Amino acid sequence: MDIRRGKRHATDRPGSDGSRGPDGTDRTRAASSAPGPLDPADLAGPVAPAAAVAPAGAAGASTSGGARLYAEDLTLAYEQRVVATDLGLRIPDNSFTVIVGPNACGKSTLLRALARMLRPRTGAVYLDGALIRSLPSKEVARRLGLLPQTSIAPSGILVSDLVARGRYPHQRLLRQWSRQDDEAVRDALAATNTQDLADRYVDELSGGQRQRVWLAMALAQQTPIMLLDEPTTFLDLAHQIEILDLCADLHEESNRTLVAVLHDLNQACRYATHLVAMKAGRIVAQGDPTEVVTAELVEEVFGLPCVVVPDPESGTPLVVPADRSRRRAAQGARAARGLDLGLEPGAPGGAGDAGGAGDAMALSAR
């Protein structure tokens, strides 16, 4: 079966009119079913899929302290609401960088800026030493891939067709769909355990199945740099670990640079080689999780009293929330301290400020 067409569309396959080459390659595929340019800047709309880049190692060497992708002096805002100011970050090459922090602290906003989805009000994002905004769209799409937090597939599209769209930036006038593209799509479906879904419509899938299909699309792009905004969304625990294992394999075996936003701090500690902790639009700490994650940091960032112990399986930091009575006592002390300092209830550090505790309570003890 044609990897790009399900059985339901078997009579409508490109090449059925004899346009296949002698090796079986369909020369009309790109023209018949390729979407428009997959520029990360276009992903602000709800229906655009992830951007794609060339295979690992295709782009030039790092030009800024071991970082092909970095940002300087960013001010990020949505209309009048400023999310972050004076924000700078360098993504270490060949790292698995994970960004953590409480809800609404700017994690996904920062990722959107790195992906060229959000134009900074001030400052700039650089890719391989060049202003990312100055690069042609398809050039960016061959270097940088993105799995957005939420994506909506075109109505009536098959899983195999959606995953195949990840190959679009590799298509050129003299280089149309090839066996290499078929293999990339097939490998991506296998890696995400979605082969059995290839002939189904995306509309029919559960939320977790859809998330795995979108990840398959990103994998089919074979990107040296991948940005993943909450890749474990909608997944049950077993599939969360499966997806993170896959990301770790991509990082270790292909030397890919991965940047992910995660809510589960224990998962972040287990998988990240470089951890970035954010709060209120600023970076509080970053580095190796074993050096960065302490009980003091967790309480500062998430407002959650806890103890940090070695994970019995991985040896990485394991955050164990404090007993309920201790947490309530700590919250009372913070509220009293805030009143003593003249802070209004609900202000950062004042009474009613959750400090992201709800986010941290999603921790899973593994």
Side-chain angles (χ1 to χ4, degrees), residues 20-358:
R20 290 186 179 275
D23 62 350
T25 300
D26 183 352
R27 292 170 177 164
T28 66
R29 272 173 160 159
S32 65
S33 58
L38 297 176
D39 177 5
D42 297 332
L43 288 173
V47 298
V53 302
S62 169
T63 59
S64 178
R68 291 179 58 182
L69 179 64
Y70 61 98
E72 294 181 344
D73 303 321
L74 296 183
T75 296
L76 304 177
Y78 297 100
E79 296 182 349
Q80 301 304 313
R81 185 172 68 88
V82 176
V83 176
T85 58
D86 300 321
L87 190 61
L89 178 65
R90 279 168 166 72
I91 304 299
D93 285 351
N94 308 125
S95 69
F96 188 172
T97 296
V98 177
I99 304 173
V100 298
N103 291 331
C105 72
K107 304 183 298 295
S108 293
T109 300
L110 173 58
L111 204 71
R112 286 169 58 85
L114 293 175
R116 207 169 79 160
M117 288 176 62
L118 178 67
R119 184 186 294 271
R121 184 167 292 181
T122 63
V125 175
Y126 296 87
L127 179 61
D128 292 326
L131 280 168
I132 196 169
R133 286 277 171 193
S134 71
L135 297 171
S137 296
K138 204 162 187 178
E139 181 67 23
V140 174
R142 285 193 289 265
R143 302 187 197 182
L144 187 68
L146 172 69
L147 176 67
Q149 186 177 121
T150 55
S151 302
I152 301 176
S155 179
I157 191 171
L158 293 176
V159 167
S160 57
D161 289 331
L162 181 63
V163 175
R165 291 192 175 200
R167 300 300 298 168
Y168 172 76
H170 300 280
Q171 309 301 307
R172 296 180 177 86
L173 181 62
L174 299 179
R175 194 265 187 208
Q176 300 301 320
W177 191 267
S178 69
R179 288 179 177 173
Q180 180 183 352
D181 297 312
D182 271 330
E183 291 171 1
V185 172
R186 192 174 292 110
D187 289 346
L189 290 168
T192 53
N193 197 25
T194 53
Q195 309 100 307
D196 293 342
L197 304 178
D199 296 334
R200 293 180 59 183
Y201 291 113
V202 177
D203 297 341
E204 299 174 351
L205 305 181
S206 68
Q209 289 172 324
R210 285 196 192 102
Q211 189 70 358
R212 288 158 60 201
V213 167
W214 283 109
L215 182 57
M217 178 180 170
L219 294 181
Q221 298 163 6
Q222 297 182 324
T223 65
I225 303 174
M226 290 180 62
L227 309 182
L228 310 169
D229 195 357
E230 300 185 29
T232 56
T233 298
F234 304 121
L235 300 179
D236 59 42
L237 181 57
H239 281 114
Q240 288 178 29
I241 298 303
E242 181 179 297
I243 291 299
L244 291 173
D245 281 348
L246 173 59
C247 290
D249 289 342
L250 289 170
H251 162 249
E252 294 171 3
E253 298 173 6
S254 305
N255 284 327
R256 299 192 190 196
T257 300
L258 273 64
V259 186
V261 169
L262 293 180
H263 279 289
D264 190 312
L265 185 53
N266 285 334
Q267 288 181 352
C269 290
R270 174 173 284 198
Y271 288 94
T273 63
H274 185 77
L275 189 77
V276 178
M278 292 187 65
K279 181 180 181 181
R282 63 188 180 90
I283 294 175
V284 177
Q286 61 178 308
D288 188 302
T290 59
E291 300 174 356
V292 168
V293 178
T294 63
E296 292 76 18
L297 178 77
V298 174
E299 185 159 8
E300 176 187 357
V301 172
F302 294 99
L304 180 71
C306 67
V307 294
V308 177
V309 298
D311 186 312
E313 287 289 328
S314 64
T316 54
L318 179 68
V319 178
V320 181
D323 179 75
R324 180 174 57 182
S325 59
R326 182 185 158 199
R327 283 188 281 109
R328 286 179 174 173
Q331 289 170 354
R334 283 202 307 273
R337 185 168 63 251
L339 293 174
D340 289 343
L341 294 174
L343 295 176
E344 295 293 331
D353 174 34

